[in-house]
Amino acid sequence: MATATSLAHDAGSEDFAALLDATLGPDTGFAGSVVSGRVIRIDDDYAVVDVGLKSEGRVPLKEFAPQGAKPEVKAGDVVELFVERYEDRDGSIVLSREKARREEAWTNLEKAYQAQQRVNGTIFGRVKGGFTVDLGGAVAFLPGSQVDIRPVRDVGPLMGSPQPFQILKMDRARGNIVVSRRAVLEETRAEQRSELIQGLKEGMILDGVVKNITDYGAFVDLGGVDGLLHVTDIAWRRINHPSEALTIGQPVKVQVIRFNPETQRISLGMKQLMADPWDGVAIKYPVNAKFSGRVTNITDYGAFVELEPGVEGLVHVSEMSWTKKNVHPGKIVATSQEVDVMILDVDEPKRRISLGLKQAQGNPWELFLEAHAPGSEVEGEIRNITEFGLFIGLGPDLDGMVHMSDISWDEPGEQAMARFNKGDVVKAKVLDVDVEKERISLGIKQLQADPAAEVLDKVRKGDIVTCVVTQVQANGIEVKVEEVLTGFIRRAELARDRGDQRPDKFAVGEKVDAKVVAVDRAARRLSLTIKGKEIEEEREAMKEFGSTDSGASLGDILGAAIRRRREMAGEE
């Protein structure tokens, strides 16, 4: 009989398996089939199995257990084996436990596939685009998109654990099987959703898992159905974004606030399971009491201050600062800043608390008045010069005003203001503090005694005074009395006769006598008349020297009066 080696050399490129068939004899029909056998003994890494044929077969022990597991096989066990070849060169039957399991698995999987039934398998490896799954001997491909309903970051916990799968596609000829775990989960989820929806009622408390987070809230998976947890219902305290309190995958306990059976929309709440911090808030925060809080949000109209978790109050922009007017709240306070505030009003039903920031700091005008009574002296820098006066700084945010009329006793206001510049440090006297109107009136000229005070004390209405003309105007003349008092004689008061009532008759520096009509002590100003003086002199002359009815002419009478006045002046 020719040996296998010689035939192999003679055949050249012929199939080696065909040469073995020619050498060992024709196939009896067992090759390629699955047979039952009994384990006779264990030799090293092999199991010797009797399959009822003329010779025994040897099967590697590693084929009796999944990869990485310890084989559990012993003498006497009956196992299914696949006959790869009836006899090899040593006369032994070539058997495979792994191929037998695969054949059996394929048969069972095809039945499950036709019946659209789920199959059990174990994920045991990673490949490009997905994972490998052991389906009881047959290896299937699990695409990454079919692992779960939503993307799974870590598949580690699923590895090595039996899982139900749905067969999407299989081709026995090519040995391809594609499975899905997601399809099983979606089917289970639909069942759970239907069951949950039927029994869902408002007020129910459920366990869920945060599925997704948006700017306006979070979607919570209740086990087959999603509900919306709005950002305002997460906690009683202010939450600007849901991510401040929640994370994806976080287990949460929620209450069903609203449920619409038609749209199947579910609104959830977490804060409803906590005690409401607004209960009894009016007692905890009485009006005019001071508290500390944290700035949580700043808007154009004010700032919200958290007094305790879940309880916030609004400091309106008008209540933020005594001195900073028309300033954005963000320039006065900052988010997360700790501040002292005063309770101005509490509306518990509307869950509103009005707070005052400036009230907790004290009114600066009241504090200034306590420290600087009217009449006291202050010193400060000129911060601003306007057309009507000087503004002097009296502190970081406090100003006092010196009106132009209170700068100098003698100089006109505009002329007196011209001597000062922004940044000059000056002294002034406190004239008045109006707390309600938030005004402080100062005076510079009041630091010195009024030079006209003595004259004002002497001058009375009806007195005849000697004046010096200081200015000639179209409507009258300006005069000075004893060099300190200002007076004015209107055009109509310049003479008794209308033809003599001309201001141009007078010259600057000329002395004239006039009668005092009115005294304005505050303005240090006199109203005068020459006409009235002349009329009074005529009346007195006629009384003393007779009247025209007695034969004396007016010229005679006035002449006598003038001579008498001159004589009296000469005697003096």
Side-chain angles (χ1 to χ4, degrees):
M1 180 180 287
T3 64
T5 304
S6 63
L7 286 174
H9 284 290
D10 293 339
S13 60
E14 291 183 14
D15 184 66
F16 184 68
L19 293 176
L20 286 176
D21 286 340
T23 304
L24 301 175
D27 193 344
T28 62
F30 289 101
S33 62
V34 177
V35 297
S36 296
R38 183 181 298 277
V39 179
I40 300 172
R41 64 183 181 276
I42 306 296
D43 287 345
D44 297 329
D45 294 331
Y46 291 88
V48 180
V49 183
D50 178 10
V51 291
L53 301 177
K54 65 180 182 179
S55 59
E56 300 167 346
R58 285 159 53 90
V59 182
L61 289 178
K62 63 181 182 181
E63 292 191 15
F64 287 91
Q67 186 176 5
K70 184 179 179 180
E72 295 183 0
V73 61
K74 62 185 181 298
D77 288 349
V78 178
V79 293
E80 298 290 325
L81 299 168
F82 180 82
V83 180
E84 295 193 51
R85 186 172 295 284
Y86 185 66
E87 287 184 345
D88 61 8
R89 294 186 57 179
D90 297 328
S92 299
I93 301 175
V94 181
L95 303 172
S96 172
R97 171 59 181 162
E98 184 177 340
K99 289 185 179 180
R101 290 176 63 247
R102 190 180 305 161
E103 287 296 318
E104 182 182 0
W106 271 94
T107 302
N108 294 332
L109 290 174
E110 284 179 336
K111 293 179 181 178
Y113 180 55
Q114 295 298 327
Q116 296 185 349
Q117 294 177 343
R118 300 173 185 175
V119 296
N120 290 324
T122 303
I123 302 174
F124 67 89
R126 294 176 183 267
V127 293
K128 184 177 181 181
F131 305 88
T132 52
V133 180
D134 180 6
L135 299 177
V139 177
F141 173 63
L142 173 65
S145 61
Q146 296 297 319
V147 175
D148 206 323
I149 296 174
R150 50 183 177 270
V152 178
R153 296 180 181 178
D154 183 14
V155 188
L158 300 177
M159 300 282 283
S161 177
Q163 302 281 334
F165 296 91
Q166 189 76 38
I167 299 175
L168 301 180
K169 184 170 57 176
M170 66 183 302
D171 186 341
R172 187 163 188 170
R174 295 184 178 182
N176 292 335
I177 305 176
V178 180
V179 295
S180 171
R181 180 174 175 269
R182 176 177 178 174
V184 176
L185 295 177
E186 287 179 342
E187 185 178 341
T188 305
R189 182 184 180 88
E191 295 172 357
Q192 294 174 341
R193 177 185 179 90
S194 177
E195 183 180 347
L196 181 62
I197 289 294
Q198 290 178 1
L200 200 62
K201 294 181 180 179
E202 293 183 0
M204 291 180 64
I205 299 175
L206 304 171
D207 291 319
V209 177
V210 178
K211 178 179 179 181
N212 190 26
I213 293 177
T214 67
D215 291 338
Y216 54 86
F219 287 94
V220 178
D221 184 354
L222 302 175
V225 62
D226 293 343
L228 174 61
L229 175 61
H230 196 270
V231 63
T232 57
D233 290 312
I234 294 176
W236 291 108
R237 64 183 178 88
R238 176 185 292 272
I239 294 179
N240 296 316
H241 195 275
S243 59
E244 295 177 12
L246 302 172
T247 57
I248 294 177
Q250 176 183 341
V252 292
K253 191 175 288 292
V254 292
Q255 184 176 45
V256 179
I257 302 175
R258 289 177 298 277
F259 172 56
N260 188 329
E262 296 180 1
T263 61
Q264 294 190 354
R265 290 184 178 177
I266 306 170
S267 297
L268 305 173
M270 284 178 62
K271 72 179 185 182
Q272 286 77 6
L273 301 176
M274 311 172 193
D276 188 352
W278 280 85
D279 290 342
V281 75
I283 299 175
K284 288 190 290 184
Y285 300 101
V287 175
N288 294 329
K290 293 182 181 180
F291 294 91
S292 294
R294 181 179 63 89
V295 178
T296 57
N297 192 30
I298 297 175
T299 67
D300 292 337
Y301 53 86
F304 288 90
V305 176
E306 184 182 65
L307 300 175
E308 66 175 84
V311 178
E312 284 185 344
L314 173 65
V315 181
H316 192 267
V317 63
S318 62
E319 307 295 346
M320 301 200 77
S321 174
W322 291 105
T323 55
K324 295 177 181 178
K325 309 294 184 182
N326 301 320
V327 176
H328 191 276
K331 294 186 178 180
I332 300 176
V333 295
T335 304
S336 299
Q337 178 182 345
E338 293 290 333
V339 294
D340 292 330
V341 292
M342 179 179 284
I343 309 297
L344 303 182
D345 182 60
V346 178
D347 190 335
E348 191 170 326
K350 293 184 178 179
R351 306 171 78 89
R352 294 177 182 174
I353 298 179
S354 297
L355 303 174
L357 186 65
K358 67 183 184 181
Q359 289 82 352
Q361 301 168 350
N363 189 326
W365 284 274
E366 290 181 352
L367 298 176
F368 181 85
L369 181 58
E370 291 176 5
H372 305 87
S376 60
E377 292 186 14
V378 293
E379 184 178 68
E381 179 182 311
I382 297 177
R383 288 180 176 164
N384 195 21
I385 298 178
T386 67
E387 60 182 10
F388 51 83
L390 312 174
F391 284 89
I392 299 175
L394 302 175
D397 301 309
L398 207 60
D399 288 344
M401 191 192 78
V402 180
H403 192 271
M404 59 190 304
S405 62
D406 290 314
I407 296 177
S408 173
W409 290 112
D410 303 314
E411 295 177 295
E414 294 181 357
Q415 183 179 339
M417 284 175 59
R419 294 190 288 106
F420 295 90
N421 298 301
K422 191 174 180 179
D424 291 349
V425 177
V426 297
K427 291 183 178 181
K429 181 172 286 191
V430 178
L431 304 182
D432 181 57
V433 179
D434 192 329
V435 175
E436 185 176 344
K437 294 183 179 180
E438 300 180 348
R439 293 176 184 173
I440 300 175
S441 299
L442 304 176
I444 293 178
K445 71 180 184 182
Q446 285 80 1
L447 294 172
Q448 301 173 347
D450 184 358
E454 187 177 344
V455 179
L456 284 170
D457 289 340
K458 295 188 300 182
V459 175
R460 297 287 184 274
K461 180 179 178 181
D463 289 353
I464 305 298
V465 295
T466 301
C467 313
V468 177
V469 179
T470 57
Q471 190 176 2
V472 178
Q473 301 175 359
N475 61 337
I477 59 174
E478 285 272 1
V479 297
K480 279 279 188 181
V481 178
E482 295 194 25
E483 299 183 352
V484 292
L485 276 181
T486 301
F488 186 75
I489 306 175
R490 293 186 298 111
R491 182 188 184 101
E493 301 297 328
L494 290 176
R496 183 170 181 270
D497 297 331
R498 183 178 294 273
D500 294 331
Q501 294 174 353
R502 293 182 293 108
D504 57 6
K505 284 178 51 180
F506 300 88
V508 174
E510 180 182 352
K511 292 185 178 181
V512 295
D513 289 339
K515 182 180 179 181
V516 177
V517 177
V519 180
D520 188 342
R521 299 185 65 83
R524 302 165 70 251
R525 192 173 180 84
L526 302 177
S527 293
L528 304 166
T529 175
I530 296 175
K531 173 182 175 180
K533 180 186 74 73
E534 291 178 348
I535 292 175
E536 183 178 344
E537 287 178 345
E538 179 181 332
R539 187 181 303 113
E540 289 179 356
M542 293 180 66
K543 184 186 295 185
E544 184 176 352
F545 297 103
S547 65
T548 53
D549 296 338
S550 61
S553 66
L554 182 58
D556 294 337
I557 296 172
L558 290 177
I562 291 171
R563 286 194 299 273
R564 178 65 181 271
R565 179 178 289 276
R566 287 176 179 173
E567 290 174 359
M568 292 176 64
E571 292 176 359
E572 293 176 358

